[in-house]
Amino acid sequence: MSDKTPIRILITEDHLIARVGLKTIIGMQPDMRVVAEAANGAQAAELYRKHKPDITLMDVRMPVMSGVDAVIAIRAEFPEARIIALSTYGGDEDIRRALAAGVRSYLTKDVLHDELIRAIRAVHSGATYLPPAVAAALEASIFPADLSSREIEVLELIVKGHGNKQIAFELGIAEHTVKNHVKNILSKLGADDRTQAATAAIQRGIIHL
């Protein structure tokens, strides 16, 4: 494939060492070339507009503008953009958010080098690529959490260890209203108690610490 035009890649990653690692892996491929590097989502949007890469590797969680927000911004202007999400986390809600934003692939950062290259080539060819572990995470939780914005606020405070009275005070609502929200949250997450709900929220990527 070295006689063909190389796949032009934009790397977006806020950690320098991880960015260098990605660039090194890609640099070893004769059919790929890194054309730009961004350290946050806002830079990614600017550099995409400038270089119009074939593939964008997008870290999901970054300062200034998150990877998911950057994907939405880029695809609003360039609907054909082919973007691969990279994340330390493999929770099903994280994956769903990224796919809903329009990424063509979702890879966790512990992915093997061969899988990264395979994903780049697959997405470049027009396919969607989900590694087995990512697909399994989605299948394990077939239904999205479907929490309301208020329920997510309550859940965030549950994760912080707050009781109903403290949650009611912080959100400016009645304590019995908090109890109703907690009941709904436990039901939607299939949790028996607050601890299970908090654990599920973190594992699934509903709440980020």
Side-chain angles (χ1 to χ4, degrees), residues 55-60 66-75 78-87 93-107 119 123 126-131 134 138:
I55 295 290
T56 299
L57 299 180
M58 184 74 71
D59 187 10
V60 172
S66 74
V68 171
D69 288 341
V71 171
I72 292 170
I74 290 171
R75 294 193 74 253
F78 304 97
E80 74 285 357
R82 295 178 179 180
I83 304 173
I84 296 173
L86 299 174
S87 179
E93 289 297 314
D94 280 322
I95 299 167
R96 284 192 176 92
R97 274 192 290 268
L99 292 174
V103 304
R104 301 285 191 91
S105 178
Y106 188 103
L107 305 176
V123 172
T128 296
Y129 185 90
L130 293 180
V134 171
L138 285 176

Side-chain angles (χ1 to χ4, degrees), residues 5-189:
T5 302
I7 301 170
R8 301 169 64 257
I9 300 170
L10 163 62
I11 297 175
T12 305
E13 164 64 62
D14 61 319
H15 292 103
L16 176 60
I17 293 176
R19 200 161 65 241
V20 171
L22 289 169
K23 187 174 182 179
T24 300
I25 295 168
I26 293 167
M28 296 171 64
Q29 311 305 313
D31 59 331
M32 299 179 189
R33 178 165 64 91
V34 174
V35 295
E37 301 172 49
N40 60 61
Q43 286 183 0
E46 293 175 8
L47 290 172
Y48 190 97
R49 190 177 298 112
K50 179 179 179 181
H51 296 279
K52 296 182 178 60
D54 301 312
I55 295 290
T56 299
L57 299 180
M58 184 74 71
D59 187 10
V60 172
R61 301 185 191 178
M62 293 181 294
V64 183
M65 177 188 283
S66 74
V68 171
D69 288 341
V71 171
I72 292 170
I74 290 171
R75 294 193 74 253
E77 190 173 350
F78 304 97
E80 74 285 357
R82 295 178 179 180
I83 304 173
I84 296 173
L86 299 174
S87 179
T88 305
Y89 308 92
D92 67 295
E93 289 297 314
D94 280 322
I95 299 167
R96 284 192 176 92
R97 274 192 290 268
L99 292 174
V103 304
R104 301 285 191 91
S105 178
Y106 188 103
L107 305 176
T108 53
K109 292 184 180 180
D110 58 357
V111 69
L112 295 176
H113 297 177
D114 289 348
E115 187 115 72
L116 170 65
I117 298 306
R118 194 155 47 241
I120 291 173
R121 290 185 177 133
V123 172
H124 182 251
S125 71
T128 296
Y129 185 90
L130 293 180
V134 171
L138 285 176
E139 291 174 5
S141 298
I142 299 174
F143 301 107
D146 196 28
L147 298 170
S148 69
S149 57
R150 177 63 86 186
E151 287 167 349
I152 289 176
E153 288 178 331
V154 172
L155 184 55
E156 286 175 340
L157 295 175
I158 289 174
V159 169
K160 291 180 180 178
H162 294 187
N164 288 353
K165 188 172 183 178
Q166 189 174 5
I167 293 173
F169 175 78
E170 292 203 22
L171 297 182
I173 58 179
E175 190 172 349
H176 70 81
T177 302
V178 174
K179 290 180 180 178
N180 288 334
H181 284 315
V182 172
K183 182 180 179 181
N184 290 337
I185 289 168
L186 296 181
S187 175
K188 290 181 179 181
L189 296 183

